[in-house]
Amino acid sequence: MHPDLAFAIRRRGGVFTVADARRAGYRTDEVRAAVGSGARYRLRRGIYVTAQTWAEATDDRARHLLHALATLTALGPGPVLSHASAARFHEFLLPRGVGTDVRLTHPDQWRTGPAYRITAATLTADDVLRAGALSVTSAARTLVDCAREWDPTDAVVAMDAALHGNRVQRRELVATVMAQSHWLGVGAAARAVHLADGRAESPLETRGRLGLLDAGFRTFESQVELYGPTGFVARLDGWLEDLAVALEFDGFVKYADPRDQRTPAEVAWDEKRREDLIRDLDVPVVRIVQADLPRLARPIQRLNELRARPLPGPRRYRIVRRPEPGSDDGDAAA
């Protein structure tokens, strides 16, 4: 490859144009022939990547970002990668069936074109970051923009994971919502921020928590620590303070593909022993699995049965709350 073309590809973040190839001495018919031979891959009219670059983009996210680079190259300066496209850049959790169009925001343009859509909206300096050849909305702006459009549960799932991974701070989400106070859909975004909890460690925990809250179990807390008379007993996925009930969210992968070189049988045995220690303190355990979603009929029935039981007497344990990652308290604890 001619050094001038290699330089253009690096400058553009991995893509190149027919004009770039011509400046490097390649004829247009040579570029087309390279596509036919498989040495180049066409992203948009007049915009390409090398076969190696395309092959190295091994998942939908990476290929979407290449299409985004091609779209921005075609449109020129101004638009900023946003919404679900920016969520892919930030590696946030995406809902199933999310659109494949490249999403962009520009202060003054509403526009659609082949496989892209531009939304007109204000962009402050804090809303935009530069990443190589890409201009993309910040983590907080991206999550709030998505929450104005997505199903509420999908929005909270994404926020929970971002907060848990310290990819965004709660105060940034709140400030972004406040800045969009009169925008379409901002009420849904505000509710998502309010419901988000960075202590949740999986989408199953998030969806289960939201299902319990919707069913009226308002004292749910994520990831608390249980201590008995002799010290630490277990970290609980969930806790209902008024019922004094522990909740565990059981994903199959924990048993099918365990960590720490343990066998599935060892994981199941350790989990049984752990639950025995919890129950020894007169704390019932209710497990929620993927198959219980979205209605949670089985666990809710069990919780209602436990609500009717007489409490066993003075507690022989104490509950210690953990700060939320992504919050000011979580930052201080870190």
Side-chain angles (χ1 to χ4, degrees):
M1 180 185 297
H2 194 284
D4 288 349
L5 183 56
F7 174 77
I9 290 172
R10 289 194 300 272
R11 179 171 58 85
R12 295 189 185 278
V15 307
F16 69 94
T17 67
V18 169
D20 294 328
R22 286 174 179 166
R23 282 191 289 270
Y26 295 91
R27 301 189 311 273
T28 301
D29 62 309
E30 289 180 295
V31 176
R32 292 173 180 161
V35 173
S37 70
R40 303 284 186 266
Y41 183 87
R42 180 181 179 273
L43 293 169
R44 297 183 68 86
R45 181 178 179 181
I47 303 175
Y48 306 86
V49 291
T50 66
Q52 179 180 348
T53 298
W54 185 249
E56 289 172 350
T58 55
D59 57 24
D60 290 342
R61 171 189 168 274
R63 292 190 172 188
H64 183 90
L65 291 178
L66 285 176
H67 282 289
L69 279 167
T71 301
L72 287 166
T73 298
L75 293 173
V80 171
L81 201 67
S82 63
H83 296 79
S85 294
R88 289 178 171 93
F89 171 85
H90 290 291
E91 299 186 52
F92 293 150
L93 293 179
L94 298 175
R96 291 182 180 179
V98 68
T100 58
D101 281 358
V102 174
R103 294 296 305 277
L104 303 160
T105 296
H106 187 284
D108 306 310
Q109 291 184 16
W110 283 97
R111 180 178 171 187
T112 60
Y116 74 84
R117 176 153 61 104
I118 303 176
T119 298
T122 301
L123 290 166
T124 69
D126 290 338
D127 287 335
V128 181
L129 60 89
R130 185 77 180 175
L134 282 175
S135 290
V136 59
T137 51
S138 67
R141 173 64 186 262
T142 298
L143 287 165
V144 171
D145 280 348
C146 289
R148 291 189 294 109
E149 298 183 354
W150 288 357
D151 174 85
T153 298
D154 292 330
V156 178
V157 166
M159 287 184 183
D160 277 9
L163 287 164
H164 183 76
N166 279 306
R167 308 288 297 279
V168 70
Q169 301 297 303
R170 176 170 290 278
R171 62 179 176 271
E172 296 170 336
L173 292 173
V174 172
T176 304
V177 166
M178 295 299 293
Q180 298 184 6
S181 59
H182 300 293
W183 293 19
L184 183 65
V186 73
R191 287 188 290 275
V193 172
H194 175 72
L195 289 169
D197 187 340
R199 290 169 293 191
E201 295 185 343
S202 70
L204 174 60
E205 289 187 29
T206 299
R207 294 179 185 279
R209 179 183 84 246
L210 295 178
L212 290 169
L213 292 172
D214 189 55
F217 295 93
R218 299 293 180 181
T219 65
F220 181 94
E221 300 175 76
S222 292
Q223 298 297 331
V224 303
E225 295 177 350
L226 176 69
Y227 287 80
T230 60
F232 177 78
V233 175
R235 181 154 60 89
L236 308 175
D237 291 340
W239 174 252
L240 288 171
E241 174 65 24
D242 58 337
L243 302 186
V245 171
L247 295 117
E248 293 295 300
F249 296 92
D250 245 355
F252 180 71
V253 69
K254 176 169 68 177
Y255 302 98
D257 187 19
R259 301 176 181 178
D260 305 323
Q261 287 75 54
R262 292 183 296 167
T263 66
E266 288 171 331
V267 172
W269 177 254
D270 291 344
E271 193 66 17
K272 179 185 182 303
R273 294 294 302 139
R274 175 178 173 276
E275 185 167 322
D276 286 344
L277 292 173
I278 296 170
R279 293 184 188 278
D280 285 346
L281 295 172
D282 296 321
V283 175
V285 178
V286 174
R287 291 189 176 272
I288 296 175
V289 299
Q290 193 72 36
D292 291 319
L293 298 175
R295 297 179 61 84
L296 302 183
R298 181 194 59 81
I300 286 174
Q301 179 181 351
R302 178 58 179 150
L303 288 172
N304 285 328
E305 291 170 356
L306 290 170
R307 192 196 297 274
R309 85 192 192 285
L311 293 175
R315 292 183 176 185
R316 298 184 295 113
Y317 58 85
R318 63 189 176 93
I319 296 295
V320 175
R321 279 80 182 176
R322 305 173 68 208
E324 180 192 29
S327 70
D328 291 338
D329 289 343
D331 293 343

